[in-house]
């Protein structure tokens, strides 16, 4: 097998690598080496990475003596680690279930054995999420509807499972679930995009013609905005795209760095007859969105005022800007909205500094051409996120076929870059989500998987009205599997009838995850759970009763015990949510697809995406359990679990 080519490199190359590292969100530099993209599958025993060297040596020397010492050391170390983490077993006082009869050693044994072997990766590929057949993918680009087909483009490296050589991949679908992969739409073949055809958007002009605007990165890392049009408008699949001769159309204006000018939005038409686009940028550490206007998509004028800016947020990537209806649930075409009477506008920026997508709701002044957030304390980068897990560089589009606004988001891997190379692929897109303004609050969006996903629902298990005592854990029979759609509701505890302790610890998801013991929670679901629970992904609520009698509700997605494999990000994600006093229930919807768990809380008021890599809890060995790790009982009201087919 061909070894992966690893070399120490010059400062310039290091800089390039750092860009790649940012894209992947994974740190290589600390490990003292840079990976160059291999042409063929890697031979891991050849890695010079110190982390792998010890394992590699054990294999290479084939000395029984040395191997035995290696194994003994690893076993001792694993045992020590396991013993120092009582949270590995979900709860010591579980009731109602066979799990409670298992001894602690039973929980620990498989991790010792499994931890020594590298995972096989066979079960990690998703079955109904959007993924190219192989290699690296990142941002969603230019989603649109044209002549009966949904078109989806994406940042794609056709050569390897790591970021680099970025092109636009292209796929089409009639239902946003089943996809047909086409040839690359745009490749780096011009001086202005030779370092990558980076992110951008599509606009459908009033005559029905689509236009793509995208960022090119030159070999001097100059970021410019460029245009491409379909070669043959009669082809509904739009297989061929032509870059116009006037490219590059826009280069960074004075005051904006040549690497801080990227990701044009879909253009919108205003009442003055001019089209406008927003482009992400920064000045110092102030993140901002520039606006350019045009009548012909070739000649552009920079607007003097920014669309919006927020100090301290750093570079804004993949800005998105669109209206939402104050009166209905239909989506809106940005170009067809005039005036502000019946709409609010949403501004989203993907913060390069922390790789999170922040949005805010506010008013777009058609006079001043600027945006003002309704609540400055929850402005871009300060407040709401689309998703509190692994979700970045998202983009929406208006679907004229069903009059809805749809959100796409990139869910990167949580395993190591070396794992990605071995798998031969990296990243998925989350299930497309419809977006509407939450009319109860007026201050947040609601996200929900597109209704087309329901077509994959198969066999169903239903349970109703189960009281989960404090410490309970209940396996849901007939619901095992790695492809599931789950909806569950719980009742709020009736505090009138309870003697509630005054001292209640507030929940911080990352402090112990689902293994915390509270009064009202953690309670929720375990999915992708192994027989003996050595692997489990917990999604749960944790309630705290405030002195004013109101609940503080936190929701978490705990991937810290999802996998026995090594080198995996074990962050416990979560957020607190505001529940209206009229809502006397708590609800979760979980979309489980092998290595991704997408959670929709309270009809979409908050979302959390986790990437998980079970090694034992796969296929029919992946179970679902209800659990309550708090001391007070919790009533589960309804539980519905569907097996999901492949897309
Ligand atoms: N990814 C693209 C850039 C964008 C970044 C490059 C966000 O255009 O800013 O692949 O993930």
């Amino acid at each position: 097998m061909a070894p992966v080519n690893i070399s120490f490199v010059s400062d310039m190359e290091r800089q390039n690598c750092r860009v790649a590292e940012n894209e992947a969100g994974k740190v290589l530099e600390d490990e003292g080496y840079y990976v160059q993209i291999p042409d063929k599958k890697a031979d891991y025993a050849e890695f010079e990475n110190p982390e792998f060297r010890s394992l590699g040596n054990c294999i290479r020397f084939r000395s029984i003596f040395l191997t035995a010492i290696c194994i003994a050391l690893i076993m001792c170390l694993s045992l020590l680690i396991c013993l120092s983490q009582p949270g590995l077993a979900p709860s010591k006082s579980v009731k109602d279930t066979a799990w409670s009869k298992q001894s602690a050693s039973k929980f620990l044994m498989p991790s010792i054995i499994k931890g020594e072997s590298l995972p096989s990766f066979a079960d990690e590929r998703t079955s109904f999420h959007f993924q190219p057949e192989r290699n690296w993918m990142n941002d969603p680009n230019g989603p649109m509807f044209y002549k009966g087909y949904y078109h989806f483009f994406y940042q794609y490296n056709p050569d390897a499972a790591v970021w680099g050589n970025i092109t636009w991949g292209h796929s089409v679908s009639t239902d946003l679930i089943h996809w047909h992969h086409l040839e690359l739409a745009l490749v780096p073949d011009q001086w202005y995009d030779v370092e990558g055809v980076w992110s951008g958007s599509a606009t459908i002009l009033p005559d029905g013609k689509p236009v793509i605007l995208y960022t090119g990165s030159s070999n001097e890392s100059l970021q410019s905005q460029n245009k491409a049009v379909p070669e043959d408008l009669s082809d509904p699949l739009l297989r061929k795209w032509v870059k116009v001769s006037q490219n590059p159309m826009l280069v960074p204006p004075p005051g904006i760095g040549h690497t801080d000018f990227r990701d044009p939005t879909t253009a919108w038409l205003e009442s003055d007859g001019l089209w406008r686009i927003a482009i992400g940028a920064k000045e110092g550490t102030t993140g901002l969105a520039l606006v350019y206007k045009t009548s012909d998509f070739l000649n552009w004028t920079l607007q003097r005022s920014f669309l919006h800016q927020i100090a301290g947020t750093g570079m804004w990537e993949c800005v998105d800007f669109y209206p939402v209806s104050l009166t209905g649930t239909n989506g809106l075409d940005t170009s067809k909205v005039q005036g502000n009477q019946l709409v609010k506008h949403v501004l989203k920026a993907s913060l390069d500094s922390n790789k999170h997508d922040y949005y805010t709701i506010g008013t777009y002044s058609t006079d001043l051409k600027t945006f003002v957030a309704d609540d400055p304390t929850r402005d871009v980068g300060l407040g709401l996120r689309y998703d509190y897990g692994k979700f970045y560089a998202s983009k929406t589009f208006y679907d004229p076929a069903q009059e809805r606004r749809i959100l796409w988001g990139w869910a990167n891997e949580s395993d190591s870059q070396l794992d990605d190379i071995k798998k031969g692929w990296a990243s998925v897109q989350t299930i497309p989500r419809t977006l509407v303004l939450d009319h109860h609050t007026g201050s947040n969006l609601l996200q929900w998987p597109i209704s087309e996903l329901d077509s994959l629902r198969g066999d169903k298990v239903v349970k109703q009205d189960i009281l989960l005592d404090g410490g309970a854990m209940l396996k849901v029979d007939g619901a095992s599997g790695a492809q599931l759609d789950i909806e569950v509701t719980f009742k709020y505890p009736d505090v009138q009838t309870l003697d509630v302790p005054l001292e209640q610890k507030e929940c911080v998801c990352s402090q112990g995850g689902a293994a915390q013991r509270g009064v009202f929670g953690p309670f929720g679901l375990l999915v992708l759970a192994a027989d003996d629970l050595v692997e489990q992904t917990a999604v749960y609520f944790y309630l705290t009763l405030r002195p004013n009698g109101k609940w503080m509700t936190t929701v978490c997605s705990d991937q810290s015990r999802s996998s026995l494999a090594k080198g995996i990000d074990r962050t416990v994600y979560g957020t607190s949510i505001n529940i209206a006093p009229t809502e006397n229930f708590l609800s979760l919807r979980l979309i489980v697809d092998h290595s991704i768990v997408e959670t929709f809380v309270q009809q979409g008021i908050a979302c959390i995406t986790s990437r998980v890599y079970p090694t034992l809890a796969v296929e029919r060995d992946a179970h679902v359990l209800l659990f309550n790790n708090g001391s007070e009982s919790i009533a589960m009201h309804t539980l519905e679990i569907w097996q999901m087919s492949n897309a």
Side-chain angles (χ1 to χ4, degrees):
M1 279 188 283
V4 168
N5 181 9
I6 293 174
S7 61
F8 288 88
V9 289
S10 69
D11 279 345
M12 185 60 186
E13 285 164 324
R14 268 170 191 270
Q15 216 177 334
N16 292 340
C17 285
R18 212 163 284 128
V19 175
E21 167 196 306
N22 275 341
E23 292 299 326
K26 291 165 183 170
V27 180
L28 291 174
E29 193 177 26
D30 288 346
E31 294 170 9
Y33 67 90
Y34 290 89
V35 177
Q36 295 192 341
I37 299 160
D39 286 327
K40 303 200 183 79
K41 249 187 163 204
D43 179 347
Y44 284 82
E46 297 299 323
F47 274 129
E48 291 305 313
N49 173 2
E51 201 182 298
F52 280 79
R53 207 179 291 141
S54 58
L55 179 61
N57 285 345
C58 287
I59 299 162
R60 206 176 297 134
F61 298 145
R62 294 197 180 106
S63 151
I64 294 167
F65 180 65
L66 279 179
T67 307
I69 288 180
C70 282
I71 291 170
L73 278 174
I74 291 167
M75 285 180 77
C76 289
L77 210 65
S78 305
L79 190 60
L80 275 176
I81 291 167
C82 291
L83 287 176
S84 66
Q85 292 180 10
L88 261 176
S91 160
K92 283 195 181 120
S93 61
V94 289
K95 292 190 232 165
D96 293 348
T97 149
W99 305 122
S100 59
K101 298 187 189 105
Q102 297 182 6
S103 70
S105 63
K106 194 119 190 225
F107 282 108
L108 299 178
M109 270 309 284
S111 80
I112 296 166
I113 296 162
K114 193 72 190 178
E116 289 176 21
S117 57
L118 290 169
S120 74
F121 303 114
D123 297 298
E124 296 178 357
R125 219 180 140 78
T126 61
S127 290
F128 55 90
H129 279 73
F130 181 90
Q131 281 194 256
E133 277 153 7
R134 61 187 72 81
N135 294 327
W136 168 269
M137 169 175 69
N138 54 298
D139 317 352
N141 290 154
M144 65 172 162
F145 184 77
Y146 182 74
K147 293 197 173 177
Y149 288 93
Y150 293 102
H151 289 254
F152 182 69
F153 304 89
Y154 48 94
Q155 295 280 282
Y156 182 58
N157 181 352
D159 300 328
V162 297
W163 187 88
N165 185 31
I166 289 295
T167 67
W168 275 38
H170 183 194
S171 302
V172 287
S173 168
T174 53
D175 65 359
L176 291 162
I177 296 291
H178 299 87
W179 291 92
H180 180 72
H181 299 303
L182 298 174
E183 53 267 56
L184 300 176
L186 297 168
V187 299
D189 56 5
Q190 304 294 320
W191 70 266
Y192 52 79
D193 63 16
V194 71
E195 212 187 61
V197 184
W198 287 6
S199 283
S201 307
T203 305
I204 307 275
L205 302 180
D207 61 5
K209 291 183 187 156
V211 176
I212 281 175
L213 300 176
Y214 72 91
T215 299
S217 179
S218 77
N219 63 0
E220 308 229 291
S221 298
L222 171 73
Q223 292 173 6
S224 63
Q225 313 313 327
N226 304 287
K227 172 177 167 183
V229 292
E231 188 181 273
D232 176 7
L233 285 165
S234 69
D235 171 16
L237 302 186
L238 299 172
R239 285 168 183 267
K240 298 256 179 296
W241 289 80
V242 183
K243 297 174 188 173
V244 302
S245 59
Q246 292 88 343
N247 286 341
M249 296 183 305
L250 293 170
V251 293
I256 300 294
H258 70 295
T259 59
D260 304 329
F261 181 62
R262 57 183 178 270
D263 310 335
T265 60
T266 294
W268 69 93
L269 183 62
E270 294 208 15
S271 54
D272 59 5
L274 296 177
W275 291 88
R276 286 171 171 77
I277 55 171
I279 297 174
K282 73 171 158 91
E283 266 185 346
T285 57
T286 298
L288 57 97
L290 301 163
V291 174
Y292 285 84
K293 54 187 175 183
T294 184
S295 58
D296 58 5
F297 280 79
L298 287 174
N299 299 291
W300 301 84
T301 309
L302 176 63
Q303 180 177 295
R304 266 203 288 184
S305 45
F306 304 140
L307 177 64
H308 200 46
Q309 60 180 315
I310 297 288
T313 51
M315 178 67 198
W316 285 11
E317 298 187 309
C318 301
V319 167
D320 204 358
F321 181 59
Y322 53 90
V324 283
S325 171
L326 276 168
T327 52
T329 52
N330 281 356
L332 297 171
D333 179 345
T334 317
S335 293
K336 300 215 169 113
V337 167
Q338 306 296 345
N340 285 320
Q341 298 82 3
L342 301 174
V343 302
K344 282 279 162 193
H345 273 80
V346 178
L347 179 63
K348 185 274 303 190
S350 304
L351 296 203
D352 193 24
S353 57
N354 62 16
K355 298 285 172 200
H356 296 318
D357 277 17
Y358 289 86
Y359 75 89
T360 192
I361 294 172
T363 302
Y364 175 58
S365 161
T366 42
D367 296 334
L368 300 172
K369 312 294 182 200
T370 54
F371 170 90
V372 179
D374 284 348
D375 177 356
T377 65
R378 301 210 299 175
D379 213 323
V380 176
L382 310 177
L384 295 166
R385 283 167 53 186
Y386 277 151
D387 192 299
Y388 292 85
K390 205 83 168 170
F391 184 97
Y392 191 62
S394 62
K395 187 172 296 294
T396 66
F397 77 108
Y398 173 68
D399 170 14
Q402 299 211 35
E403 296 183 27
R404 56 190 173 170
R405 184 156 290 271
I406 292 178
L407 170 71
W408 283 96
W410 162 42
N412 197 359
E413 303 297 318
S414 290
D415 60 4
S416 72
Q417 196 159 41
L418 301 182
D419 287 341
D420 295 346
I421 293 168
K422 192 166 184 193
K423 290 191 304 224
W425 57 268
S427 299
V428 306
Q429 301 292 335
T430 54
I431 295 294
R433 304 172 180 176
T434 49
L435 278 186
V436 293
L437 182 67
D438 183 343
H439 291 131
H440 291 297
T441 63
S443 57
N444 60 272
L445 298 170
L446 294 176
Q447 304 174 50
W448 201 244
I450 50 164
S451 57
E452 288 89 333
L453 186 68
D454 298 357
S455 69
L456 301 182
R457 285 175 165 180
D459 291 349
K460 181 181 179 185
V461 166
V462 181
K463 305 275 176 206
Q464 245 159 351
D465 293 321
I466 297 174
L467 190 69
L468 299 167
D469 290 338
M473 189 162 297
L474 202 65
K475 183 177 173 195
V476 184
D477 290 330
S480 300
Q483 296 175 211
L484 303 173
D485 186 350
I486 307 175
E487 295 197 42
V488 64
T489 58
F490 299 93
K491 291 178 187 164
Y492 266 102
D494 180 1
V495 281
Q496 311 299 336
T497 61
L498 292 171
D499 191 12
V500 181
L502 286 176
E503 281 297 307
Q504 288 181 46
K505 205 170 46 127
E506 286 200 355
C507 171
V508 179
C509 297
S510 57
Q511 289 176 9
Q516 293 176 72
R517 302 302 310 270
V519 178
F520 302 104
F523 62 90
L525 291 167
L526 299 184
V527 296
L528 299 172
D531 276 326
D532 41 15
L533 299 185
V534 287
E535 290 183 328
Q536 47 165 289
T537 298
V539 179
Y540 59 89
F541 288 106
Y542 190 119
L543 311 177
T544 316
L545 196 60
R546 292 190 173 122
N548 64 5
K550 294 201 173 126
W551 291 107
M552 177 168 148
T553 307
T554 306
V555 61
C556 314
S557 178
D558 178 356
Q559 54 182 6
S560 67
R561 300 173 192 91
S562 296
S563 176
L564 294 173
K566 291 177 178 174
I568 285 169
D569 175 12
R570 297 184 190 279
T571 309
V572 183
Y573 302 123
T575 183
S576 57
I577 51 171
N578 288 324
I579 309 269
T582 47
E583 291 175 282
N584 57 358
F585 67 92
L586 291 160
S587 76
L588 295 172
R589 180 170 177 188
L590 272 63
I591 309 290
V592 180
D593 189 4
H594 297 269
S595 59
I596 185 165
V597 178
E598 284 186 66
T599 300
F600 298 81
V601 188
Q602 218 65 9
Q603 309 299 304
I605 207 168
C607 297
I608 312 178
T609 298
S610 291
R611 298 300 315 277
V612 297
Y613 308 91
T615 59
L616 301 173
V618 297
E619 301 295 350
R620 291 283 144 189
D621 295 327
H623 308 299
V624 178
L625 295 94
L626 285 159
F627 78 99
N628 175 15
N629 217 9
S631 55
E632 290 293 333
S633 300
I634 294 289
M636 190 284 292
H637 183 40
T638 54
L639 172 67
E640 297 172 287
I641 305 180
W642 291 264
Q643 296 291 331
M644 296 293 276
S645 319
N646 296 351

